[in-house]
């Protein structure tokens, strides 16, 4: 199998698994418990929190462990709205559904929402964000790097605008770990999800600036300093902390970018009617999102799958209906969205795999076009 879907998830690293194992088997206590077993688990959790705080560049009292990137997006949007009661939200039109749909839910509850559109490169203009600011704006979400086209946003400028107007700025960093520095100092909150950088699934960490106005979504426990009720998954938190420590070094970025660049230049030069979606430069090293004129992205995905190659279309598949990606539609229109395929490379991919994938793609695209 050739796995080119590293933005969807990644394989668990051996050293991460080894670090988690004791907390699944021997140190299984509840970190809230007042006895030796509880204390051992609490020590593991404390060490994991400290490790995450070092990677984030914040105080360990500003690190929260959650169940995933989706929960983080929900907590940011709904938690800030709940704390304010009313107001206006600014949301980039290329956010992950966890932010988009949370904002839409809030709009049904009386909050006003402005969606800021990206330009054709997939970049959100800070000026557009500033133009959207109203007197009652309480929240802004613009992600660090987009999950479909990998474009990197100007977090610092957007954070400064938000700070100037007293707006809570949430930055989803799920796809940006190891690629850009964390927006510490200019975001009020940001989040990472372990399974995107060789950690376990169902584990996220969120930075929330001390003193932020935000209410919990999950009640019924004092855990996570009263912001997130529920027994913390210690093994997952430990795994996340080790995976994050590995990932922030960005040691594999050169290898990954080399594979991605080779792949893109070969596809664009050897397969006619192909277009790279998103900015060429301002994108994470792993992402290549390409539209294949005249082909449905899903067809390419299924044919690649038959050849043992895993990719994604970035389409939302719900209730059996396949909708073209809202992100590509926003930057390049519906047609390009329908023919888009996302290839995301990782540290374990090789040049041979790139070679094989390019050859397979050439055959598949020619066949699909001939059958028309
Ligand atoms: N935010 C972004 C940008 C993502 O890419 C994803 C997952 O694809 C999420 C949030 C959700 O993360 P999780 O899978 O941990 O719920």
């Amino acid at each position: 199998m050739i796995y080119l879907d590293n933005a969807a998830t990644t394989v668990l690293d051996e050293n991460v698994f080894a670090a988690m194992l004791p907390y699944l088997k021997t140190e299984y206590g509840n970190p809230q418990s007042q006895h030796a077993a509880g204390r051992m688990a609490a020590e593991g959790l404390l060490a994991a929190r400290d490790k995450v705080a070092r990677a984030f560049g914040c105080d360990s009292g500003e690190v929260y462990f959650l169940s995933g990137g989706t929960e983080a997006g929900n907590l940011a949007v709904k938690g800030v709205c709940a704390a304010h009661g009313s107001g206006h939200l600014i949301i980039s039109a290329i956010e992950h559904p966890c932010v988009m749909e949370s904002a839409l839910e809030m709009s049904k509850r009386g909050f006003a929402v402005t969606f800021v559109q990206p330009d054709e490169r997939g970049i959100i203009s800070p000026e557009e964000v500033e133009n959207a600011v109203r007197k009652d704006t309480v929240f802004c979400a613009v992600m660090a790097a987009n999950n479909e086209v990998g474009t990197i946003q100007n977090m610092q400028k957007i954070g400064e605008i938000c700070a100037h107007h007293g707006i809570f700025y949430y930055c989803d960093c799920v796809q940006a770990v190891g690629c850009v520095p964390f927006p510490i100092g200019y975001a009020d909150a940001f989040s990472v999800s372990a399974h995107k950088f060789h950690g376990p699934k169902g584990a996220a960490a969120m930075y929330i600036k001390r003193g932020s106005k935000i209410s919990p979504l999950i009640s019924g426990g004092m855990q996570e300093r009263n912001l997130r009720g529920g027994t913390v998954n210690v093994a997952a938190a430990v795994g996340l902390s080790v995976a994050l420590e590995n990932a922030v070094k960005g040691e594999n970025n050169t290898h990954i970018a080399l594979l991605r660049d080779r792949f893109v230049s070969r596809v664009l030069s050897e397969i006619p009617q192909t277009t790279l979606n998103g900015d060429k430069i301002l994108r994470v090293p792993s992402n290549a999102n390409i539209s294949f004129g005249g082909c449905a992205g899903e067809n390419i995905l299924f044919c690649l799958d038959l050849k043992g190659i895993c990719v994604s279309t970035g389409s939302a598949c719900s209730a059996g209906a396949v909708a073209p990606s809202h992100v590509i539609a926003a930057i390049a229109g519906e047609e390009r969205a329908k023919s888009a395929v996302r290839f995301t490379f990782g540290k374990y991919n090789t040049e041979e795999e790139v070679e094989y994938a390019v050859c397979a793609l050439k055959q598949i695209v020619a066949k699909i076009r001939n059958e028309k």
Side-chain angles (χ1 to χ4, degrees), residues 7-8 67-71 96 98 143 145-147 172 174-175 193 195-196 203:
S67 70
T70 300
E71 186 185 335
H96 185 271
C98 64
M143 67 205 324
N146 180 261
N147 43 306
D172 176 334
V174 167
Q175 295 288 345
S193 171
H195 74 105
K196 307 290 186 181

PDB file of all heavy atoms in Angstrom, residues 7-8 67-71 96 98 143 145-147 172 174-175 193 195-196 203, ligand 1:
ATOM      1  N   ALA A   7      -2.570  13.923   5.545  1.00  0.00           N
ATOM      2  CA  ALA A   7      -3.340  15.002   6.177  1.00  0.00           C
ATOM      3  C   ALA A   7      -4.592  14.426   6.834  1.00  0.00           C
ATOM      4  O   ALA A   7      -5.203  15.067   7.688  1.00  0.00           O
ATOM      5  CB  ALA A   7      -3.717  16.068   5.151  1.00  0.00           C
ATOM      6  N   ALA A   8      -4.990  13.215   6.406  1.00  0.00           N
ATOM      7  CA  ALA A   8      -6.165  12.579   7.024  1.00  0.00           C
ATOM      8  C   ALA A   8      -5.765  11.981   8.366  1.00  0.00           C
ATOM      9  O   ALA A   8      -6.430  12.193   9.378  1.00  0.00           O
ATOM     10  CB  ALA A   8      -6.728  11.496   6.109  1.00  0.00           C
ATOM     11  N   SER A  67     -10.481  15.671  23.300  1.00  0.00           N
ATOM     12  CA  SER A  67     -10.634  14.403  22.567  1.00  0.00           C
ATOM     13  C   SER A  67     -10.240  14.488  21.096  1.00  0.00           C
ATOM     14  O   SER A  67     -10.247  13.478  20.399  1.00  0.00           O
ATOM     15  CB  SER A  67     -12.088  13.948  22.635  1.00  0.00           C
ATOM     16  OG  SER A  67     -12.890  14.821  21.853  1.00  0.00           O
ATOM     17  N   GLY A  68      -9.941  15.664  20.589  1.00  0.00           N
ATOM     18  CA  GLY A  68      -9.555  15.769  19.182  1.00  0.00           C
ATOM     19  C   GLY A  68      -9.655  17.192  18.678  1.00  0.00           C
ATOM     20  O   GLY A  68     -10.155  18.087  19.390  1.00  0.00           O
ATOM     21  N   GLY A  69      -9.193  17.393  17.446  1.00  0.00           N
ATOM     22  CA  GLY A  69      -9.248  18.715  16.829  1.00  0.00           C
ATOM     23  C   GLY A  69     -10.679  19.203  16.685  1.00  0.00           C
ATOM     24  O   GLY A  69     -10.966  20.402  16.767  1.00  0.00           O
ATOM     25  N   THR A  70     -11.595  18.266  16.481  1.00  0.00           N
ATOM     26  CA  THR A  70     -13.006  18.632  16.308  1.00  0.00           C
ATOM     27  C   THR A  70     -13.558  19.230  17.605  1.00  0.00           C
ATOM     28  O   THR A  70     -14.251  20.250  17.587  1.00  0.00           O
ATOM     29  CB  THR A  70     -13.810  17.380  15.891  1.00  0.00           C
ATOM     30  OG1 THR A  70     -13.258  16.908  14.658  1.00  0.00           O
ATOM     31  CG2 THR A  70     -15.281  17.694  15.706  1.00  0.00           C
ATOM     32  N   GLU A  71     -13.224  18.605  18.720  1.00  0.00           N
ATOM     33  CA  GLU A  71     -13.690  19.149  20.006  1.00  0.00           C
ATOM     34  C   GLU A  71     -13.082  20.539  20.233  1.00  0.00           C
ATOM     35  O   GLU A  71     -13.766  21.451  20.729  1.00  0.00           O
ATOM     36  CB  GLU A  71     -13.330  18.219  21.163  1.00  0.00           C
ATOM     37  CG  GLU A  71     -13.945  18.716  22.475  1.00  0.00           C
ATOM     38  CD  GLU A  71     -13.532  17.915  23.700  1.00  0.00           C
ATOM     39  OE1 GLU A  71     -13.163  16.728  23.574  1.00  0.00           O
ATOM     40  OE2 GLU A  71     -13.580  18.501  24.788  1.00  0.00           O
ATOM     41  N   HIS A  96     -12.025  24.278   8.858  1.00  0.00           N
ATOM     42  CA  HIS A  96     -12.480  22.888   8.963  1.00  0.00           C
ATOM     43  C   HIS A  96     -13.962  22.895   9.375  1.00  0.00           C
ATOM     44  O   HIS A  96     -14.400  23.808  10.086  1.00  0.00           O
ATOM     45  CB  HIS A  96     -11.622  22.178  10.018  1.00  0.00           C
ATOM     46  CG  HIS A  96     -11.900  20.721  10.133  1.00  0.00           C
ATOM     47  ND1 HIS A  96     -12.860  20.208  10.976  1.00  0.00           N
ATOM     48  CD2 HIS A  96     -11.354  19.652   9.492  1.00  0.00           C
ATOM     49  CE1 HIS A  96     -12.881  18.885  10.858  1.00  0.00           C
ATOM     50  NE2 HIS A  96     -11.975  18.527   9.966  1.00  0.00           N
ATOM     51  N   CYS A  98     -15.459  21.579  11.702  1.00  0.00           N
ATOM     52  CA  CYS A  98     -15.717  21.696  13.155  1.00  0.00           C
ATOM     53  C   CYS A  98     -15.900  23.155  13.561  1.00  0.00           C
ATOM     54  O   CYS A  98     -16.656  23.454  14.495  1.00  0.00           O
ATOM     55  CB  CYS A  98     -14.622  21.013  13.973  1.00  0.00           C
ATOM     56  SG  CYS A  98     -12.978  21.723  13.838  1.00  0.00           S
ATOM     57  N   MET A 143      -7.519  29.677  10.423  1.00  0.00           N
ATOM     58  CA  MET A 143      -6.601  28.570  10.718  1.00  0.00           C
ATOM     59  C   MET A 143      -5.165  28.881  10.304  1.00  0.00           C
ATOM     60  O   MET A 143      -4.926  29.755   9.463  1.00  0.00           O
ATOM     61  CB  MET A 143      -7.085  27.299  10.019  1.00  0.00           C
ATOM     62  CG  MET A 143      -6.994  27.387   8.524  1.00  0.00           C
ATOM     63  SD  MET A 143      -8.134  26.329   7.578  1.00  0.00           S
ATOM     64  CE  MET A 143      -8.283  24.849   8.497  1.00  0.00           C
ATOM     65  N   ALA A 145      -2.933  26.545   8.842  1.00  0.00           N
ATOM     66  CA  ALA A 145      -2.719  25.943   7.518  1.00  0.00           C
ATOM     67  C   ALA A 145      -3.968  25.163   7.160  1.00  0.00           C
ATOM     68  O   ALA A 145      -4.529  24.453   8.001  1.00  0.00           O
ATOM     69  CB  ALA A 145      -1.512  25.018   7.537  1.00  0.00           C
ATOM     70  N   ASN A 146      -4.383  25.322   5.910  1.00  0.00           N
ATOM     71  CA  ASN A 146      -5.629  24.681   5.491  1.00  0.00           C
ATOM     72  C   ASN A 146      -5.447  23.178   5.277  1.00  0.00           C
ATOM     73  O   ASN A 146      -4.418  22.731   4.772  1.00  0.00           O
ATOM     74  CB  ASN A 146      -6.149  25.354   4.215  1.00  0.00           C
ATOM     75  CG  ASN A 146      -7.424  24.720   3.747  1.00  0.00           C
ATOM     76  OD1 ASN A 146      -7.416  23.897   2.847  1.00  0.00           O
ATOM     77  ND2 ASN A 146      -8.514  25.049   4.393  1.00  0.00           N
ATOM     78  N   ASN A 147      -6.474  22.404   5.622  1.00  0.00           N
ATOM     79  CA  ASN A 147      -6.372  20.947   5.529  1.00  0.00           C
ATOM     80  C   ASN A 147      -6.500  20.417   4.104  1.00  0.00           C
ATOM     81  O   ASN A 147      -6.068  19.314   3.813  1.00  0.00           O
ATOM     82  CB  ASN A 147      -7.418  20.272   6.422  1.00  0.00           C
ATOM     83  CG  ASN A 147      -8.772  20.917   6.341  1.00  0.00           C
ATOM     84  OD1 ASN A 147      -8.906  22.130   6.536  1.00  0.00           O
ATOM     85  ND2 ASN A 147      -9.783  20.140   6.052  1.00  0.00           N
ATOM     86  N   ASP A 172      -6.691  27.328  14.418  1.00  0.00           N
ATOM     87  CA  ASP A 172      -6.628  25.866  14.300  1.00  0.00           C
ATOM     88  C   ASP A 172      -5.272  25.507  13.683  1.00  0.00           C
ATOM     89  O   ASP A 172      -5.006  25.799  12.521  1.00  0.00           O
ATOM     90  CB  ASP A 172      -7.806  25.430  13.406  1.00  0.00           C
ATOM     91  CG  ASP A 172      -7.827  23.932  13.116  1.00  0.00           C
ATOM     92  OD1 ASP A 172      -6.761  23.298  13.155  1.00  0.00           O
ATOM     93  OD2 ASP A 172      -8.924  23.419  12.827  1.00  0.00           O
ATOM     94  N   VAL A 174      -4.029  22.392  13.504  1.00  0.00           N
ATOM     95  CA  VAL A 174      -4.002  20.932  13.326  1.00  0.00           C
ATOM     96  C   VAL A 174      -3.114  20.496  12.152  1.00  0.00           C
ATOM     97  O   VAL A 174      -2.424  19.486  12.234  1.00  0.00           O
ATOM     98  CB  VAL A 174      -5.457  20.396  13.186  1.00  0.00           C
ATOM     99  CG1 VAL A 174      -5.485  18.965  12.677  1.00  0.00           C
ATOM    100  CG2 VAL A 174      -6.180  20.488  14.523  1.00  0.00           C
ATOM    101  N   GLN A 175      -3.111  21.265  11.071  1.00  0.00           N
ATOM    102  CA  GLN A 175      -2.328  20.859   9.890  1.00  0.00           C
ATOM    103  C   GLN A 175      -0.975  21.565   9.809  1.00  0.00           C
ATOM    104  O   GLN A 175      -0.284  21.443   8.800  1.00  0.00           O
ATOM    105  CB  GLN A 175      -3.126  21.142   8.605  1.00  0.00           C
ATOM    106  CG  GLN A 175      -4.397  20.334   8.460  1.00  0.00           C
ATOM    107  CD  GLN A 175      -4.160  18.857   8.137  1.00  0.00           C
ATOM    108  OE1 GLN A 175      -3.063  18.463   7.749  1.00  0.00           O
ATOM    109  NE2 GLN A 175      -5.184  18.036   8.310  1.00  0.00           N
ATOM    110  N   SER A 193      -3.813  18.202  16.951  1.00  0.00           N
ATOM    111  CA  SER A 193      -4.435  16.887  17.083  1.00  0.00           C
ATOM    112  C   SER A 193      -3.371  15.819  16.826  1.00  0.00           C
ATOM    113  O   SER A 193      -2.762  15.789  15.755  1.00  0.00           O
ATOM    114  CB  SER A 193      -5.579  16.774  16.069  1.00  0.00           C
ATOM    115  OG  SER A 193      -6.057  15.460  16.036  1.00  0.00           O
ATOM    116  N   HIS A 195      -3.100  12.670  16.055  1.00  0.00           N
ATOM    117  CA  HIS A 195      -3.019  11.668  14.977  1.00  0.00           C
ATOM    118  C   HIS A 195      -2.551  12.260  13.646  1.00  0.00           C
ATOM    119  O   HIS A 195      -2.296  11.527  12.694  1.00  0.00           O
ATOM    120  CB  HIS A 195      -4.348  10.918  14.821  1.00  0.00           C
ATOM    121  CG  HIS A 195      -5.469  11.675  14.177  1.00  0.00           C
ATOM    122  ND1 HIS A 195      -5.867  11.429  12.883  1.00  0.00           N
ATOM    123  CD2 HIS A 195      -6.290  12.647  14.632  1.00  0.00           C
ATOM    124  CE1 HIS A 195      -6.900  12.209  12.591  1.00  0.00           C
ATOM    125  NE2 HIS A 195      -7.168  12.964  13.633  1.00  0.00           N
ATOM    126  N   LYS A 196      -2.406  13.587  13.595  1.00  0.00           N
ATOM    127  CA  LYS A 196      -1.893  14.211  12.367  1.00  0.00           C
ATOM    128  C   LYS A 196      -0.364  14.241  12.374  1.00  0.00           C
ATOM    129  O   LYS A 196       0.246  14.580  11.373  1.00  0.00           O
ATOM    130  CB  LYS A 196      -2.418  15.643  12.226  1.00  0.00           C
ATOM    131  CG  LYS A 196      -3.927  15.782  12.333  1.00  0.00           C
ATOM    132  CD  LYS A 196      -4.640  15.204  11.133  1.00  0.00           C
ATOM    133  CE  LYS A 196      -6.143  15.501  11.226  1.00  0.00           C
ATOM    134  NZ  LYS A 196      -6.889  14.961  10.113  1.00  0.00           N
ATOM    135  N   ALA A 203      -6.950  12.433  20.504  1.00  0.00           N
ATOM    136  CA  ALA A 203      -6.132  13.181  21.475  1.00  0.00           C
ATOM    137  C   ALA A 203      -5.747  14.524  20.878  1.00  0.00           C
ATOM    138  O   ALA A 203      -5.129  14.574  19.811  1.00  0.00           O
ATOM    139  CB  ALA A 203      -4.870  12.399  21.820  1.00  0.00           C
TER     140      ALA A 203
HETATM  141  N1  LIG B   1      -8.947  20.916  12.009  1.00  0.00           N
HETATM  142  C1  LIG B   1      -8.280  20.593  10.899  1.00  0.00           C
HETATM  143  C2  LIG B   1      -7.606  21.660  10.117  1.00  0.00           C
HETATM  144  C3  LIG B   1      -8.216  19.268  10.460  1.00  0.00           C
HETATM  145  O1  LIG B   1      -7.565  18.949   9.353  1.00  0.00           O
HETATM  146  C4  LIG B   1      -8.886  18.267  11.242  1.00  0.00           C
HETATM  147  C5  LIG B   1      -8.899  16.860  10.799  1.00  0.00           C
HETATM  148  O2  LIG B   1      -8.849  16.552   9.628  1.00  0.00           O
HETATM  149  C6  LIG B   1      -9.551  18.659  12.402  1.00  0.00           C
HETATM  150  C7  LIG B   1      -9.562  19.991  12.761  1.00  0.00           C
HETATM  151  C8  LIG B   1     -10.247  17.645  13.257  1.00  0.00           C
HETATM  152  O3  LIG B   1      -9.320  16.907  13.992  1.00  0.00           O
HETATM  153  P1  LIG B   1      -9.695  15.498  14.648  1.00  0.00           P
HETATM  154  O4  LIG B   1      -9.628  14.475  13.572  1.00  0.00           O
HETATM  155  O5  LIG B   1      -8.653  15.291  15.700  1.00  0.00           O
HETATM  156  O6  LIG B   1     -11.055  15.626  15.234  1.00  0.00           O
END
